[in-house]
Amino acid sequence: MIRNDIRALDAYHVPDASGLIKLDAMENPYPLPDTLRRTLAERLANADIHRYPDAAMENLREKIAARHGLAPEQILLGNGSDEIIQMLMIAADQGACAAPAPSFVMYELIAKWIRRPFTAISLDEHFNLDADRFLQVVSREKASLAFLACPNNPTGNFWAADVVERIASDFGGLLVIDEAYAPFADRDHLHLINEHVLVLRTFSKIGWAGLRLGYAVGQASLISELNKVRLPYNINTLTQIAADVLLDHFHVFDEQATRIRCERERMQRALAAFPDLQTYPSQTNFITIRVPDAGQAFAHLLKKRILIKQLGGHALLENCLRITIGTPEQNDQVLEALKELFK
Ligand SMILES: Cc1ncc(COP(=O)(O)O)c(C=O)c1O
């Protein structure tokens, strides 16, 4: 009844965070301001949920496109950028899907679901990517689709601009530059968009994780092909209305992202002062660290009611932990807990 390779998989596990300081999933720690909540509530109260949602979402796409000085035809909306990754896997030419490793786990997982061969190109011990090696492997494996998470999750770092540019110009397949962490990064890659390069964005990290809204930005011709594998009504009415309201108040989220970036820099400096603890540069809303015993550190923080992510699944992530940047108070609690272990 069910494919054996599906039976062999585990369902995506989300740990229970009730009562914990939740710093495991790269969410924005700041809740919506009260005034914005009230505006949102008024608009949502008028939602026509007895009707299917607006299927084409012209207005919403136009609002998002305008933020980038682009046309609405260049925007494809997904139920989270995860859903767009799935659309890309379905629509791209047959052939392997390639991505650096370690990187975002959904690339490999979705490839498995639809039986697309997956090729991982290992980063070096500093989590850097070698463009020559990447290009050699994708050509050898005849990859037709590749994902570059820029900045990368779970390592947090940016690969050098010339590495990304080389891959964008020399890879013959469809290249997806996944900019989930763009609000916290010093550069983006929208200028690289062309007939075989797309950029992926999400509103999850900026503060709307519960809405599930992501988008692809690309040439209109490519977007219209991908739109053919978008499930009808994939963005529900409540999300569409909420996004419309929140986009009109985007300064609130920009300001929160700035605060998160400042806290990230403070945390970087504080963590760098710990002996026995290695930090990696981050252009995201999290910091990846390496400790002598990640299991012990994870358990200690949990005892202090702080939930972070213990990384695994790749040799380069041995004893690594990923800590989402929280509010200043939450970050202080992380530092306190780590001090008990490392000072
Ligand atoms: C690199 C990267 N891409 C995409 C996503 C998925 O984001 P969304 O919430 O839009 O599905 C994540 C989430 O962690 C991510 O780290």
Side-chain angles (χ1 to χ4, degrees):
M1 254 168 13
I2 299 291
R3 277 164 35 193
N4 283 337
D5 56 332
I6 298 289
R7 283 179 191 278
L9 295 174
D10 291 319
Y12 191 87
H13 173 66
V14 178
D16 180 12
S18 342
L20 303 178
I21 297 176
K22 192 173 184 315
L23 300 177
D24 66 328
M26 292 82 83
E27 293 147 328
N28 175 343
Y30 299 106
L32 275 190
D34 282 346
T35 49
L36 197 41
R37 262 174 211 272
R38 279 193 291 276
T39 312
L40 190 57
E42 271 168 34
R43 286 284 301 278
L44 290 174
N46 291 318
D48 282 329
I49 58 164
H50 62 298
R51 299 287 182 204
Y52 279 108
D54 173 356
M57 301 174 280
E58 182 78 20
N59 290 343
L60 187 52
R61 289 188 297 123
E62 200 170 308
K63 240 182 204 183
I64 293 170
R67 292 179 47 76
H68 302 299
L70 297 169
E73 296 73 33
Q74 295 187 264
I75 304 291
L76 177 80
L77 296 176
N79 191 338
S81 47
D82 281 349
E83 193 192 29
I84 303 179
I85 296 169
Q86 191 173 24
M87 293 183 217
L88 287 156
M89 293 274 184
I90 292 170
D93 276 341
Q94 276 198 340
C97 168
S103 188
F104 183 44
V105 290
M106 293 311 290
Y107 307 144
E108 184 167 2
L109 198 54
I110 297 174
K112 279 191 177 144
W113 295 348
I114 66 158
R115 291 190 163 140
R116 187 182 274 278
F118 184 81
T119 299
I121 296 104
S122 188
L123 301 175
D124 71 14
E125 73 271 28
H126 305 292
F127 299 144
N128 286 324
L129 178 62
D130 180 333
D132 286 330
R133 224 176 91 65
F134 187 91
L135 289 165
Q136 263 165 21
V137 176
V138 292
S139 146
R140 190 187 68 211
E141 300 297 321
K142 301 189 174 41
S144 57
L145 174 65
F147 287 87
L148 291 182
C150 300
N152 190 37
N153 172 22
T155 59
N157 62 320
F158 239 150
W159 298 312
D162 62 328
V163 166
V164 180
E165 279 159 21
R166 268 266 331 273
I167 294 172
S169 82
D170 292 5
F171 174 55
L174 177 56
L175 177 69
V176 183
I177 303 181
D178 183 346
E179 297 191 332
Y181 300 94
F184 314 101
D186 289 342
R187 63 167 215 261
D188 69 39
H189 303 85
L190 291 169
H191 61 286
L192 295 179
I193 286 172
N194 61 29
E195 61 284 352
H196 70 102
V197 178
L198 273 175
V199 166
L200 209 53
R201 291 277 179 103
T202 178
F203 291 109
S204 295
K205 317 299 173 185
I206 192 96
W208 316 357
L211 292 185
R212 305 302 294 129
L213 188 64
Y215 59 102
V217 193
Q219 283 199 345
S221 52
L222 192 49
I223 294 294
S224 87
E225 296 306 328
L226 290 170
N227 194 43
K228 296 175 185 172
V229 296
R230 183 174 63 83
L231 284 171
Y233 316 116
N234 64 327
I235 310 298
N236 75 72
T237 302
L238 301 182
T239 294
Q240 289 190 32
I241 294 174
D244 186 59
V245 172
L246 298 180
L247 281 164
D248 288 341
H249 298 84
F250 213 77
H251 60 278
V252 170
F253 305 99
D254 279 336
E255 192 265 327
Q256 289 176 349
T258 303
R259 275 198 265 166
I260 292 166
R261 285 172 70 136
C262 288
E263 273 299 291
R264 178 188 73 203
E265 297 312 307
R266 180 176 79 91
M267 286 293 278
Q268 284 277 16
R269 287 192 300 274
L271 291 168
F274 282 85
D276 299 331
L277 185 156
Q278 189 179 356
T279 65
Y280 292 91
S282 171
Q283 286 275 303
T284 63
N285 61 342
F286 62 86
I287 298 178
T288 295
I289 62 174
R290 197 185 299 275
V291 295
D293 184 341
Q296 181 207 27
F298 176 84
H300 180 72
L301 265 72
L302 201 54
K303 222 164 62 196
K304 300 282 164 184
R305 313 217 58 72
I306 302 169
L307 180 65
I308 59 166
K309 174 83 177 171
Q310 184 176 353
L311 298 174
H314 194 282
L316 286 175
L317 296 176
E318 206 187 347
N319 282 322
C320 282
L321 299 164
R322 187 185 66 197
I323 308 173
T324 301
I325 303 298
T327 62
E329 299 72 30
Q330 293 172 339
N331 299 332
D332 284 342
Q333 290 185 55
V334 169
L335 293 173
E336 274 310 306
L338 288 174
K339 252 183 220 160
E340 291 165 6
L341 275 180
F342 297 113
K343 271 195 176 162

